[in-house]
Amino acid sequence: MKQGDFTEVAKYYINRPAYSAMLLEKLFLCVNTFNKNIKDFKICEVGAGTGKLTKMLANFGFSVTAIEPNDAMRKEGIEYTKNTNIQWHKGDGESTKMNNREFDWVIMASSFHWTDHTKSLPEFRRILKNGGYFTAIWNPRNILNDSIFYEIEEEIKTIIPELNRVSSGSQNTKKWEDILVSTGDFIDCFFMECDYIEMMSKERYIGAWQSVNDIQAQAGKERWDKIMDMINRKIQNLSIIEIPYKIRAWSAKKVNN
C-alpha cells in the first residue's frame, strides 16, 4: 500500500467517526460574515473522502460541493450521499477546478495535512467569495494514559519503532495557526475544539483501523497483520467500545481581492 493512496482503504471509511454537530454550528456562526441563511450558504468540501462530514453539512441544509481526487473514495462518497443534493467532482486541494469566488466556506476534514499548503491556500482563496473562510478540521482520538487505546498505541510503537504518523493527533506538532496565514492568502486565524464520544461495535472499531492508511503503508503486510491481531485481542471481551475524540478546527478569513 502506498502512503497517501486511499484506494485500498476506501471501503472501510464508513466505519470512521463523525464530527461534532455542535462545533459545526458554532463554526458557522463565526464564518457567516454576511448573516446568510443556511440554504444560501455555499460550501466546498475539499478532500471529501467518502462523505462523512459532507453528509452532515448537507443534512444541516447547506449547499455542498464535494471535491475528492481518489476515484474509489469518491465512488463510496457518491453512494453514501445518494439521497442528498451534494455535487461531487474530481479535484484536489491544489486544483479544485471550481470557479473564482464561488463559495462562502471551504472546508477540509482530516485531509489538509496531505496538501501542499503553498498551493492549496492560494487555490482556496481563489474559489472563495470575499469575506469567505477556510477551515481545516480534524477528529483525532483523545488518547488518555492507562486506557486500552493508550495500550494499543504503545504496542504499535513497539511493532513499528520507526513509525512516523501523518495525522492530527498528539503525534502532530504542526502549528496550523501559523500555516494558515503563511502564504498571505488568509488572515485572522482562530481555533476551536470540543470533546466528542463515539460508540462503536467491535466490528466497526476494527473497520475504522482498517481505514488507516499511514500505519499500513509503513508497516507492510506482516507487521500490519500483527497489529490487527493485537487489537483484536485487546477488545475481545468488549461488546461496545466508547471512544473519546477531540474535534479540532482552525479557521482563517480570506484576504479580499
Side-chain angles (χ1 to χ4, degrees):
M1 181 181 296
K2 183 180 178 181
Q3 192 160 338
D5 184 351
F6 296 88
T7 302
E8 294 182 43
V9 299
K11 62 184 177 181
Y12 296 110
Y13 256 69
I14 190 64
N15 299 295
R16 287 203 164 196
Y19 293 81
S20 166
M22 181 273 291
L23 185 61
L24 292 173
E25 291 172 354
K26 301 297 184 185
L27 282 169
F28 173 59
L29 292 175
C30 292
V31 304
N32 187 11
T33 305
F34 301 110
N35 295 316
K36 291 185 177 182
N37 293 324
I38 282 181
K39 63 182 178 63
D40 298 321
F41 201 80
K42 296 187 66 177
I43 296 177
C44 182
E45 188 191 349
V46 182
T50 60
K52 203 75 179 186
L53 176 64
T54 328
K55 192 170 184 177
M56 289 185 70
L57 294 169
N59 288 341
F60 272 123
F62 292 113
S63 171
V64 184
T65 297
I67 307 296
E68 171 53 44
N70 184 277
D71 293 339
M73 297 280 277
R74 194 171 60 257
K75 180 179 178 182
E76 293 285 337
I78 291 170
E79 176 63 23
Y80 179 60
T81 62
K82 62 183 178 182
N83 294 320
T84 70
N85 61 358
I86 296 166
Q87 299 295 314
W88 285 84
H89 299 275
K90 185 167 186 173
D92 56 40
E94 292 81 4
S95 178
T96 62
K97 300 179 174 62
M98 296 292 104
N99 295 327
N100 293 344
R101 302 184 187 181
E102 186 174 357
F103 299 98
D104 298 288
W105 195 9
V106 172
I107 302 178
M108 290 198 78
S110 301
S111 54
F112 182 57
H113 51 279
W114 291 108
T115 75
D116 177 349
H117 72 272
T118 65
K119 297 178 180 179
S120 59
L121 290 172
E123 173 70 355
F124 299 158
R125 179 189 182 192
R126 181 185 69 79
I127 67 174
L128 277 168
K129 300 174 185 177
N130 285 341
Y133 276 81
F134 167 61
T135 294
I137 187 169
W138 286 272
N139 56 355
R141 289 166 299 137
N142 187 17
I143 300 172
L144 304 175
N145 290 350
D146 300 323
S147 68
I148 187 174
F149 311 112
Y150 181 81
E151 293 175 9
I152 289 172
E153 291 293 324
E154 290 303 297
E155 292 212 28
I156 289 174
K157 292 175 185 176
T158 300
I159 296 170
I160 317 175
E162 76 278 14
L163 181 64
N164 180 26
R165 294 300 310 273
V166 182
S167 73
S168 57
S170 59
Q171 307 95 333
N172 191 319
T173 58
K174 288 186 178 180
K175 294 184 177 180
W176 297 112
E177 63 273 21
D178 293 337
I179 291 174
L180 261 61
V181 300
S182 64
T183 62
D185 296 289
F186 291 87
I187 57 174
D188 300 337
C189 183
F190 65 90
F191 172 71
M192 298 176 72
E193 73 173 8
C194 71
D195 293 318
Y196 176 74
I197 299 293
E198 185 107 13
M199 310 296 286
M200 293 189 183
S201 65
K202 287 191 290 187
E203 292 75 19
R204 184 182 169 197
Y205 183 68
I206 291 298
W209 271 106
Q210 292 283 13
S211 74
V212 178
N213 167 270
D214 62 335
I215 297 180
Q216 289 196 61
Q218 294 177 65
K221 186 178 186 309
E222 183 177 345
R223 290 194 294 182
W224 178 247
D225 288 344
K226 187 175 181 180
I227 288 170
M228 294 310 299
D229 287 342
M230 175 270 294
I231 294 173
N232 272 294
R233 289 195 304 272
K234 290 284 186 183
I235 66 170
Q236 62 183 345
N237 295 322
L238 302 177
S239 54
I240 297 295
I241 303 169
E242 183 176 318
I243 309 168
Y245 290 87
K246 184 77 73 172
I247 314 299
R248 312 164 79 202
W250 286 261
S251 303
K253 187 177 182 179
K254 170 186 172 174
V255 172
N256 292 343
N257 53 12

